[in-house]
Structure formats: C-alpha cells, structure tokens
Amino acid sequence: MRDILPALGRWYAAGSPFGLATVVAVSRSAPRDPGAAMAVGPGDEVVGSVSGGCVEGAVFELAQEVVESGEARLETFGYSDEDAFAVGLTCGGEITLLVRPVTPALDPSFGAVAESVAAGRPVTVATVTDGPARRGATLAVWADEVSGTLGTTGLDVAVTADARGELALGATGQRHYGPRGERREDAVTVFLHSFAPPPRMLVFGAIDYAAAVARIGAFLGYRVTVCDARPVFATPKRFPAGVEVVVEWPHRYLHDTATDDRTVICVVTHDPKFDVPLLAEALRRPAAYIGAMGSRRTHDDRMKRLRDAGLGASELARLRSPVGLDLGARTPEEVAVSVAAEIVALRWGGSGAPLTATAGAIHPREH
C-alpha cells in the first residue's frame, strides 16, 4: 500500500473514484502479506499487486464493479483442485481481499492518510471488513487525533485504543468486536493497517562493502544512514542516491541517535578504535540486528576487548559476528546479499537452510 499511495493520492485529490483491493487475511503459502494492495483508477489504470499475478484479472473486474455500485465486497481466493483453470492461487495458499470504492464522500480521511504516510507521520487505518457495521467504513487513527467513524461510538473507542497499540508496534492485522466495541465478541471484523515510518539501517564504515550493504538495505525498505569519522571516505557520491551520509565518530553518532526494535546496525569498519566503543554502545540499546564484519581472528579479539569494556554474556550474545550467512560470498555485493539474508532470516525466524532441505510450510504464519 505504501508504494502505491502517491498514485492514489493524486486520484483522490482530483476527485476521481477508484477501486482499492487490500489483502486483509492470508493462510498457508499465500504470495503476499496483509496490507498488500492493488487499485484500479481513472482510465482503467492499475497500480499495485495482491498476488503476484494469480488473481489480478479477477480483482481488476471487482474493482470496477465496486466503483460502479458504491458497495465494498469481501472476496476469498484459493487454489482449486477440481478446476485447475479456475481463478485462484497456484501456490496453494488463500487470500481474502476487501475491495472497496474510494471517493472523498465515502472516505473523507484518505487524503490526510496519504499525506501522513508521505511525511513519515505514523497512522493506522481501521476498516470494517465484515459484520453488521458498514463494510468499507474507515477510521484513521494518529497518536493525537482520529478521523472518520466505523458506525458506533463504542466501536470507534475500542478500535482507536487497539489501533494506537498496533501503531506502536508497526503491526497490521484483523481484530474482532461486538457491534458497540465489545471485546469478547466477534460480530464485527476490522482490519487495522499500520503505516509506521520505515525501519532504519545504520551502516558504520564508509568502505565499498558499506556501499553494497546500503544499496541492498534501501532495496529492502530501510531508511539507510552511513556513518564514518573520515571525511575523505564519507562522501555522498560514493553511495546510492537517498542514502544519508554522516561524518562523525561512530559511537558518538549512535549515542545521539534513537533506535528501536526494528533498527538494523551493520559495522564494517575493521578498526578496534571505532568498533569497540561503537559496539559497546550498540549492544546496550534496542535493535533488531547488530552485525560486525571481520575474520574469526578479528572477532575473537573484538570479543575480548568488549568483555574488557564491561559487556556481559547476554549483551555479547546479541552480536552477529562474523556478519552474514555462509554463502561463500567474495565481492562486496555478494557479502551484502549474505548480510541481507541473515537480517531477513533473523526477522522471520528462518533457518537459512536451502528450501530443498526443509519440509512443511515455506511461510509459517505467526501466532
């Protein structure tokens, strides 16, 4: 959804109705996660994707129909053993889509939501998908304000509280309520779609490996900053467009920079005078991943220096060093793939093993 919002914002500002299909639930090996979206706008222009090509033709027609009728629809697509040519998912999974018309009259908050996402201001959009409340009704929830309604005051109050909790976590998913917001009932299903700012990747050491890691980090959706104390190396022209480059001692920069449980920290400096104070700071603060490049000899020396600096076993256990998965990587680009693979595996609990050597669901669902 984040990727297609600029186009949707333009259609909305022009007063052009469009049909918006959003993945609200998945099961088994579904190709896209909740929040993936596709829209059909003026002139039958299409943006986004909900399945990677399996059901987009059917969704195109649904989007046209909801714009014509003005009524939202909930549709589920899955693999059909009985009719291999039926519209469905060849991966064997199942996705449920909410397809709704969007106009200023039906969704007065949509423009403000699009502006907030573009500006990096966190917002959660709550949308009724099923139940006695009006399907497609939306409620936009920011940290300090609310816009729209789901139909009743009680439902709005309950959903607002939950939406702010999801926003703090950057989480997206369905919740169930009674018609007036009762929490132990499931008459009304609401999809909470959180738009938190992109997670940060902090890369320390402005060398060729850092440029490759920064490039793949930006590709994965991180807001990337490269930091080095040496101005001759820390120059924007050596790094991809959009990557922030900072000249500062790494540990000082990190000390003054906020991190959270989604932040990725990659250390590629290879120099104890930079590495040790930097990692001592990093291992004592929130982060999803802390990795440091170097040989096994460098790693052993680094660990000794960190112990001497007062770090305990639980803090040192957070360090991924030598950085990356064992791919046999040689070039900076290959090493960056290795690092990215480790970050993704740690985030989702992957083993890093070849899928041919594993069994069961490829994308196990979180509980």
Side-chain angles (χ1 to χ4, degrees):
M1 175 71 86
R2 185 187 299 275
D3 293 338
I4 69 174
L5 268 175
L8 306 190
R10 290 192 298 271
W11 296 344
Y12 185 86
S16 301
F18 58 91
L20 176 61
T22 305
V23 178
V24 297
V26 301
S27 66
R28 301 190 298 278
S29 298
R32 302 296 301 273
D33 287 331
M38 168 183 161
V40 178
D44 290 340
E45 181 181 353
V46 178
V47 294
S49 172
V50 292
S51 75
C54 299
V55 302
E56 268 70 6
V59 175
F60 176 83
E61 295 179 0
L62 282 171
Q64 292 178 314
E65 290 172 9
V66 300
V67 170
E68 181 69 23
S69 69
E71 300 292 333
R73 291 174 58 177
L74 192 69
E75 298 286 345
T76 297
F77 296 92
Y79 182 75
S80 173
D81 289 324
E82 290 75 21
D83 184 358
F85 295 99
V87 174
L89 303 177
T90 57
C91 63
E94 186 176 272
I95 60 172
T96 299
L97 304 175
L98 176 69
V99 189
R100 66 184 180 97
V102 179
T103 67
L106 291 172
D107 190 348
S109 306
F110 191 91
V113 169
E115 291 175 1
S116 292
V117 174
R121 184 188 179 200
V123 59
T124 294
V125 178
T127 308
V128 174
T129 64
D130 205 6
R134 181 178 67 84
R135 179 174 289 155
T138 61
L139 180 73
V141 180
W142 290 266
D144 54 357
E145 64 176 301
V146 175
S147 178
T149 181
L150 302 182
T152 67
T153 300
L155 184 58
D156 287 348
V157 169
V159 171
T160 295
D162 289 345
R164 286 181 173 145
E166 299 290 81
L167 189 59
L169 298 172
T172 288
Q174 293 190 118
R175 292 288 188 97
H176 302 277
Y177 306 88
R180 290 175 293 279
E182 300 89 341
R183 294 188 179 276
R184 288 184 293 276
E185 298 185 23
D186 59 1
V188 180
T189 303
V190 178
F191 180 65
L192 300 179
H193 193 173
S194 295
F195 296 92
R200 297 200 65 183
M201 173 182 280
L202 307 177
V203 184
F204 294 96
I207 62 175
D208 48 359
Y209 288 94
V213 170
R215 186 174 296 108
I216 202 167
F219 176 75
L220 291 175
Y222 289 92
R223 181 163 67 93
V224 182
T225 298
V226 176
C227 175
D228 197 303
R230 302 164 294 182
V232 67
F233 295 113
T235 61
K237 66 181 181 181
R238 299 184 66 236
F239 296 92
V243 171
E244 180 187 31
V245 180
V246 175
V247 179
E248 178 60 281
W249 277 80
H251 70 284
R252 293 175 184 167
Y253 175 78
L254 184 58
H255 180 270
D256 295 332
T257 299
T259 63
D260 59 27
D261 291 335
R262 301 186 300 154
T263 303
V264 166
I265 299 173
C266 298
V267 180
V268 298
T269 48
H270 293 291
D271 189 331
K273 71 175 178 290
F274 293 123
D275 288 1
V276 173
L278 169 61
L279 288 171
E281 174 70 30
L283 293 168
R284 289 169 170 153
R285 60 166 51 231
Y289 176 93
I290 304 170
M293 185 178 290
S295 67
R296 298 196 186 280
R297 179 179 297 178
T298 298
H299 168 74
D300 292 341
D301 176 71
R302 183 188 290 135
M303 293 292 280
K304 179 181 182 304
R305 292 173 183 267
L306 289 170
R307 291 189 193 95
D308 292 344
L311 276 80
S314 61
E315 293 165 327
L316 294 174
R318 301 178 63 203
L319 179 61
R320 317 291 290 193
S321 173
V323 72
L325 298 185
D326 181 14
L327 304 182
R330 295 289 189 273
T331 68
E333 291 74 19
E334 290 174 343
V335 170
V337 170
S338 166
V339 173
E342 184 175 42
I343 291 170
V344 172
L346 187 64
R347 177 182 180 185
W348 296 111
S351 67
L355 288 174
T356 54
T358 65
I362 295 174
H363 303 113
R365 303 310 306 168
E366 295 180 300
H367 298 288

